[in-house]
Amino acid sequence: MTLLSSTPEAARRPLADRSVALVHEWFGATGGSEQVFLSMAEVVPHADRFVLWKDDDATVDQSIQESWMAKTPLRRNKALALPAMPLTWRTLTRKRYDVVVSSSHAFAHTVKIGSPDRTRHLSYVHSPARYVWSPELDQRGANALLAPVRAVLRAGDRRLSRHVHSYAANSREVQARIRRYWGRDARVINPPVEVDYFGAAPPQVRDQDRRYLLGVGRWISYKNFDLMIEIAAAARLPLVIAGGGPEEENLRRLAARVDVPVEFEFRPSKERLRELYWGAMALLYPALEDFGMIPVEAQACGTPVVGWARGGLLETVVTGETGILLDATDPAAYVAPVRRAARLSPAATMANARRFTPQAFQANIAAWLADEA
């Protein structure tokens, strides 16, 4: 992935005269946090890069080093691996660095390579672990029987991250969680989105009719794809659902019961996803996201967003101009907003997406490193 080719300022390379370790949780296949990690690595290309493990389907530079967990069955079960992660981050390497930069959505911010008086640790946070701190947002940790485990993990999370010198958050939503859960301040640096790629579709893609509603993402419960199906049925409009995940069977059953066409696109390629964005009247996004790259990708294609007035959408969507945001779970409440969104200006929607370019992200990361490291 090459995200820095047109970023001359970031090419000045902060920390060039200091040893740097860049660490990330596990490395999956082309997820949003992985894109952030790779983009950060281009700002500090001399950094040694570490992850807990690389998933089998992840295609990534082999120079990224894995922890001892990669050689155990834990790599295939994140829930079982979770309690061992803090220890792993403390035994990652014998090397010591001047600066450690972590990309964290679980416990990577607890990594400790060197003593706090000699090593500066900066942590970019996608969210404090939702299944530990916000189980109401992520059902993986919502079971009441897990409450004692959550309490232990929360205490360890606070204690083991006291050495972090500076935090950056991917959104104001996450900035507020960091303050609430950890009692720390954070600078907001929105993630990079490949807006140039999505906006630069070939003419045959750009000129297609916008004729369906679109849902994109992992098919898991808190993404609310079931609500998207109900919204499409209430609006009497076709729906395309793109992605994959454990809720597929349930979603197909629900889709078979509604009176509008629902088409499933299983793990579409990036090129196919771009086509789907350009053919959509609106992207449905009735979910609370920490930031949410998908709504920005859609806007880069001139596709408005209809979703919840919560979380990252409050930062990425200008309601009434590039989408419609509302607080509702009643499918009928979305019918008028969907129709209204389809009439919004594609040009204004595309212009809004340009606030989230990789160039902007890397310039902000470089400034953060210069200020705090």
Side-chain angles (χ1 to χ4, degrees), residues 103-120:
S103 164
S104 180
H105 54 76
F107 294 113
H109 70 124
T110 67
V111 67
K112 195 170 185 180
I113 306 173
S115 60
D117 57 334
R118 294 189 178 184
T119 301
R120 295 289 291 180

Side-chain angles (χ1 to χ4, degrees), residues 117-306:
D117 57 334
R118 294 189 178 184
T119 301
R120 295 289 291 180
H121 181 185
L122 283 65
S123 184
Y124 185 92
V125 179
H126 306 276
S127 177
R130 287 166 62 131
Y131 33 83
V132 173
W133 291 101
S134 311
E136 72 281 1
L137 304 179
D138 191 332
Q139 293 185 352
R140 289 174 294 180
N143 191 320
L145 296 176
L146 296 177
V149 176
R150 286 198 302 272
V152 171
L153 290 173
R154 287 176 180 179
D157 200 24
R158 288 195 193 98
R159 179 173 56 83
L160 296 175
S161 59
R162 290 172 183 164
H163 62 288
V164 175
H165 293 94
S166 177
Y167 280 108
N170 73 351
S171 64
R172 292 195 297 270
E173 169 75 17
V174 170
Q175 180 190 47
R177 291 182 204 167
I178 290 172
R179 185 177 298 118
R180 182 163 66 250
Y181 301 145
W182 299 338
R184 300 288 299 273
D185 292 326
R187 180 185 304 208
V188 175
I189 301 176
N190 295 136
V193 183
E194 294 181 88
V195 296
D196 288 335
Y197 173 82
F198 286 100
Q204 66 270 25
V205 172
R206 297 168 65 98
D207 294 341
Q208 65 180 306
D209 293 335
R210 294 184 180 270
R211 52 187 175 77
Y212 51 81
L213 301 176
L214 177 65
V216 178
R218 184 157 168 74
W219 300 340
I220 52 181
S221 58
Y222 79 85
K223 300 286 188 178
N224 293 326
F225 281 93
D226 53 348
L227 178 55
M228 296 181 205
I229 293 172
E230 293 169 354
I231 290 169
R236 305 206 60 77
L237 290 169
L239 175 67
V240 175
I241 294 177
E247 288 293 304
E248 180 177 0
E249 185 177 341
N250 292 335
L251 294 174
R252 288 187 181 274
R253 279 200 298 266
L254 178 58
R257 294 199 296 265
V258 298
D259 294 330
V260 297
V262 179
E263 179 181 339
F264 289 81
E265 289 265 354
F266 185 73
R267 295 183 181 176
S269 66
K270 189 165 69 171
E271 184 178 14
R272 176 57 179 156
L273 181 58
R274 182 171 65 177
E275 294 176 2
L276 293 173
Y277 283 139
W278 277 95
M281 299 169 57
L283 175 79
L284 296 181
Y285 215 82
L288 193 160
E289 280 289 2
D290 309 322
F291 173 75
M293 291 182 173
I294 288 168
V296 179
E297 293 173 352
Q299 291 175 83
C301 301
T303 304
V305 179
V306 178

Side-chain angles (χ1 to χ4, degrees), residues 334-358:
Y334 287 83
V335 175
V338 162
R339 305 287 183 184
R340 182 182 168 200
R343 298 192 294 269
L344 296 175
S345 165
T349 303
M350 295 175 74
N352 181 58
R354 296 213 58 79
R355 295 188 290 133
F356 306 102
T357 63

Side-chain angles (χ1 to χ4, degrees), residues 39 241 361:
S39 191
I241 294 177
F361 170 78

Side-chain angles (χ1 to χ4, degrees), residues 324-339:
I324 307 294
L325 303 182
L326 60 158
D327 260 319
T329 55
D330 178 5
Y334 287 83
V335 175
V338 162
R339 305 287 183 184

